[in-house]
Amino acid sequence: MNFLLDEIARATQRLAEAGISSPRTDAEELAAFVHGVRRDSLHTVSDAEFDALYWECVARREVREPLQHITGRAYFRYLELQVGPGVFVPRPETEIMVDWAITTLHAMDVADPLVVDLGTGSGAIAISIAQEVPRSRVHAVELDPKAAEWARHNVETTGHAGRVTVHLGDMHSAVPELNGRADLVISNPPYVPSAERDQVPPEVRQYDPQLALWSGQDGLDAVRGLTTTGARLLRPGGHMAIEHGDGQGIEMPRLFPESAGWRDVVNHKDLARRDRFVVMRRAESED
């Protein structure tokens, strides 16, 4: 039996006992990182090449340091992004919202769509849109200076510096020069209720930036602000997508009423069939 695969089995057991939700995947990702191969090529690592650094990485993960902080990378759609302390680690759930946004942009009768990503973090959403909607122009807004630096770095290393502009500023007041011009506004804002602080996994509570997590007692403070921000930035008929937490979808129609100029407010589910993001359209001028 391949020695590394045997060690991965041992690591999987240790991570499972530590409460890691995906112990086998994490054990394999750490092994691939340490040995410089892809996960599907782990069987090619010979016994002589086994690196004891693997067990140092397993020990770090065992005490709930995020996998992505250990490897320094996060995968999002077709991207490999660099992440670490000071930036929110992008989640797979957000990919579904981005897929909706990309499909919507392709369906628009707009040659060079203008997109605003509010609370960009690592830049995952903004860069994905720039990559998959080739003529789009994306403005990414981030309040946290450390996170903004991670976003700028990822924009540069993925080769999208000419298409994605990172702005340091508050999502609710930034880029006033784009008022009434955006074809699409998209955001994965903070939405964790402060009342649920003790229920959040250690990887999130201890390592993700606080600005990216908490948003008032019910978790909806940032989303409430986006009701006016979206209205400010969008052109008539423009679209907006906002990620939200479990159980918050029921509040969205009330926050984006027709009386405030919103149309077609619809919740979309994630792969676990839970409401995960809401989309809406700004009323046409003749509505």
Side-chain angles (χ1 to χ4, degrees):
M1 180 178 181
N2 180 284
F3 180 71
L4 178 58
L5 299 185
D6 190 33
E7 297 299 90
I8 288 172
R10 290 175 55 206
T12 299
Q13 182 63 33
R14 280 179 53 173
L15 295 179
E17 291 173 354
I20 305 300
S21 61
S22 53
R24 181 74 187 191
T25 297
D26 287 23
E28 291 179 350
E29 284 287 357
L30 290 173
F33 163 67
V34 169
H35 294 93
V37 299
R38 294 171 55 91
R39 276 179 63 197
D40 58 9
S41 299
L42 285 168
H43 64 281
T44 66
V45 178
S46 69
D47 292 355
E49 295 176 83
F50 178 76
D51 192 332
L53 175 62
Y54 178 58
W55 288 109
E56 294 181 28
C57 293
V58 170
R60 291 170 64 185
R61 185 70 186 103
E62 207 170 8
V63 294
R64 308 302 289 268
E65 184 175 351
L67 171 70
Q68 296 85 355
H69 282 203
I70 300 170
T71 64
R73 63 194 183 198
Y75 299 102
F76 189 87
R77 291 183 68 82
Y78 305 105
L79 300 171
E80 181 179 314
L81 302 169
Q82 296 185 34
V83 297
V87 69
F88 183 80
V89 175
R91 277 33 172 200
E93 293 85 356
T94 306
E95 295 185 27
I96 301 171
M97 178 175 69
V98 174
D99 188 71
W100 175 90
I102 289 168
T103 299
T104 298
L105 288 167
H106 281 306
M108 287 182 181
D109 186 20
V110 178
D112 304 292
L114 178 65
V115 179
V116 181
D117 173 22
L118 298 172
T120 196
S122 66
I125 292 175
I127 299 169
S128 290
I129 290 174
Q131 178 170 286
E132 298 181 55
V133 186
R135 293 179 62 87
S136 60
R137 297 157 293 151
V138 187
H139 293 264
V141 176
E142 176 54 53
L143 177 61
D144 190 318
K146 288 184 179 180
E149 282 305 308
W150 280 107
R152 291 191 180 100
H153 178 75
N154 284 320
V155 168
E156 290 284 345
T157 57
T158 57
H160 293 90
R163 302 268 313 292
V164 179
T165 304
V166 178
H167 304 264
L168 181 63
D170 189 305
M171 68 169 68
H172 301 304
S173 59
V175 292
E177 66 275 16
L178 302 180
N179 286 355
R181 296 172 52 197
D183 297 294
L184 175 76
V185 171
I186 188 167
S187 181
N188 179 11
Y191 56 72
V192 183
S194 57
E196 297 179 6
R197 187 176 298 268
D198 293 338
Q199 303 171 36
V200 173
E203 293 90 337
V204 177
R205 185 175 66 249
Q206 297 175 16
Y207 291 93
D208 276 326
Q210 300 299 292
L211 283 174
L213 297 178
W214 317 112
S215 192
Q217 191 72 12
D218 64 355
L220 292 173
D221 285 0
V223 176
R224 291 187 185 95
L226 290 174
T227 63
T228 54
T229 305
R232 171 174 67 84
L233 291 169
L234 287 170
R235 63 166 173 80
H239 295 264
M240 183 158 68
I242 303 170
E243 185 170 323
H244 57 71
D246 296 351
Q248 294 175 336
I250 196 170
E251 297 292 329
M252 296 306 154
R254 182 178 62 81
L255 294 178
F256 296 92
E258 286 196 8
S259 60
W262 296 106
R263 302 289 185 270
D264 306 327
V265 180
V266 178
N267 264 297
H268 290 256
K269 298 184 183 298
D270 60 20
L271 294 176
R273 306 305 300 163
R274 297 171 297 195
D275 286 346
R276 180 55 59 191
F277 68 99
V278 64
V279 304
M280 67 281 295
R281 180 177 59 85
R282 198 71 188 135
E284 299 281 358
S285 54
E286 65 266 20
D287 277 9

